[in-house]
Amino acid sequence: MISNYNNNSCLIIAELSANHGGDIEIAKETIRSAKRAGADAVKLQTYTADTITLDVKTDLFKINQGTKWDGQYLYDLYSKASLPWEWHQTLFDLAKEEGLLCFSSPFDKSAVDFLEGLDTPIYKIASFEITDIPLIEYVASKGKPIIISTGIATIEDIELAIETCRKVGNLDITILKCTSAYPAAPEDANLLTIPDIRERFKVKTGLSDHTIGIEAPSIAVALGAKVIEKHFILDKSIGGPDAHFSLDEKEFKEMVLAVRKTENMLGDVDYKMTAKKAKSREFSRSLFVISDVKKGDIVSSNNIKSVRPGYGLHPKHYSRILNKIFTKDIKKGEPLSLDMIKE
């Protein structure tokens, strides 16, 4: 279950993506680095170029989106970026040794079957696969918690994806706000969508963040995010398709610390009177005698006032006792009490 993860702390995921440089040793050290940075989980992507696109060299299969990947054919990009399937068992085992959850985004049914063999604890549906309803249905049917990103989604896409999961009895659904731009501009983050997703669709929510920097995750947590996903790289000098918007260990650690500080500051809904709060109430307002009075004098604004500290009568009594009679002589600076007033 993703819900109530780690005593209600959000699940922080380091997305390995293509940041392995084609070297399993880099991938392994990236997992160790993610652990040092404070991640709770590491996420892989399970596909081959052939399971995600076609080896066709026409303009339909050439990227032209105003990105750093423009001019490349999809097949060539995914061939370079994919994580070899024979690495998965090693990386899953290493993550477990490091105390991290390890799971993946499958991109077709064969990847799901493969990940089932690794006993993946969670599934993630990538933003661009939210319209692949047969894939979502197959993943959801495995009964594992499912996380779905919404980068390209309409409300109808999200509704259909959730309905598909629920139809096969999978109710452990987390929907991530996501902006499918790499990197995403801050003004396109629209983080207020996070609480709307929670209320509109009655699911857990989170953020898959592609912005530069670490501010968005903390804001998302303040808005109720229970999952934070951020691309992670061992060293940006490795390069690769996702390096330019990924965080290294130092940056990721700063993000984790900021998120955990935000969670700590959010705390709980709390109105109870603590000893500390009771002590602080000594500095609240209360009614004091502000000039010497004699027994029989009339209570007026000239001889009582609401001032600090809080040792006198509650100010709510002020209007009620005006024009009443003092029952004793009282010196200036004495806290007022009801036994000093004749009702």
Side-chain angles (χ1 to χ4, degrees):
M1 295 288 287
I2 299 171
S3 56
N4 298 318
Y5 177 81
N6 193 22
N7 297 321
N8 287 322
S9 295
C10 75
L11 181 71
I12 299 180
I13 303 167
E15 163 67 83
L16 178 62
S17 186
N19 291 331
H20 48 74
D23 185 335
I24 191 171
E25 294 305 319
I26 290 176
K28 289 161 66 175
E29 187 54 35
T30 301
I31 289 175
R32 297 187 187 102
S33 180
K35 174 63 175 181
R36 293 193 298 269
D40 300 307
V42 61
K43 190 184 80 66
L44 315 179
Q45 295 183 3
T46 306
Y47 65 87
T48 66
D50 289 306
T51 66
I52 203 169
T53 191
L54 301 176
D55 187 8
V56 175
K57 298 299 191 289
T58 67
D59 286 345
L60 291 177
F61 290 84
K62 182 183 286 188
I63 301 171
N64 182 25
Q65 297 281 334
T67 70
K68 287 200 172 187
W69 310 318
D70 278 19
Q72 297 188 64
Y73 289 104
L74 292 173
Y75 192 90
D76 296 338
L77 175 64
Y78 297 136
S79 294
K80 290 184 291 185
S82 62
L83 181 82
W85 290 26
E86 60 268 24
W87 293 6
H88 281 59
Q89 184 70 69
T90 298
L91 299 183
F92 266 68
D93 290 345
L94 176 61
K96 186 175 182 179
E97 290 172 13
E98 293 290 331
L100 294 172
L101 289 173
C102 186
F103 63 101
S104 188
S105 294
F107 290 80
D108 77 327
K109 288 186 177 182
S110 70
V112 178
D113 294 339
F114 175 72
L115 291 169
E116 279 294 290
L118 297 175
D119 197 25
T120 183
I122 302 169
Y123 281 105
K124 166 74 189 299
I125 300 296
S127 292
F128 296 113
E129 273 58 48
I130 195 169
T131 59
D132 192 344
I133 297 305
L135 175 63
I136 293 174
E137 182 175 15
Y138 193 61
V139 168
S141 73
K142 302 305 177 182
K144 307 283 180 65
I146 184 168
I147 302 173
I148 304 175
S149 278
T150 61
I152 63 163
T154 63
I155 286 179
E156 291 74 22
D157 290 329
I158 300 171
E159 287 175 339
L160 181 55
I162 293 171
E163 177 187 328
T164 299
C165 294
R166 289 173 173 163
K167 185 173 65 175
V168 295
N170 193 324
L171 306 181
D172 198 341
I173 306 163
T174 302
I175 301 295
L176 303 188
K177 174 68 181 76
C178 178
T179 303
S180 291
Y182 309 90
E187 60 270 23
D188 293 332
N190 295 316
L191 298 181
L192 284 175
T193 310
I194 291 170
D196 187 76
I197 288 172
R198 183 178 63 249
E199 296 304 316
R200 184 186 299 268
F201 303 109
K202 309 305 179 188
V203 293
K204 295 183 290 295
T205 60
L207 174 68
S208 178
D209 183 36
H210 299 141
T211 63
I212 299 295
I214 66 171
E215 297 87 359
S218 291
I219 297 169
V221 167
L223 292 169
K226 292 302 181 184
V227 172
I228 297 295
E229 180 184 75
K230 191 83 169 175
H231 280 67
F232 184 85
I233 193 167
L234 181 63
D235 186 329
K236 293 181 184 179
S237 66
I238 294 169
D242 300 336
H244 61 291
F245 61 92
S246 299
L247 299 183
D248 60 23
E249 182 178 328
K250 179 177 181 293
E251 294 166 330
F252 199 93
K253 186 172 186 177
E254 289 173 352
M255 182 198 76
V256 170
L257 290 173
V259 165
R260 298 309 183 204
K261 185 175 182 180
T262 299
E263 289 177 325
N264 188 51
M265 293 174 71
L266 287 172
D268 302 307
V269 176
D270 175 25
Y271 297 102
K272 64 181 179 291
M273 180 58 64
T274 63
K276 185 174 182 180
K277 189 186 291 187
K279 182 67 176 173
S280 294
R281 281 178 69 88
E282 294 176 3
F283 295 102
S284 66
R285 294 268 182 155
S286 67
L287 299 180
F288 270 75
V289 175
I290 61 172
S291 62
D292 294 349
V293 298
K294 298 291 185 180
K295 179 179 179 179
D297 284 351
I298 295 174
V299 179
S300 74
S301 59
N302 294 321
N303 51 38
I304 69 165
K305 187 177 181 180
S306 174
V307 297
R308 294 183 183 185
Y311 300 114
L313 193 62
H314 195 292
K316 69 182 180 181
H317 297 290
Y318 180 83
S319 297
R320 183 169 67 83
I321 64 175
L322 284 178
N323 301 314
K324 299 295 181 18
I325 305 299
F326 283 105
T327 61
K328 60 178 74 175
D329 296 349
I330 309 171
K331 293 289 187 181
K332 175 183 177 181
E334 287 291 316
L336 197 62
S337 61
L338 284 177
D339 65 346
M340 298 175 177
I341 307 297
K342 183 178 181 181
E343 293 286 344

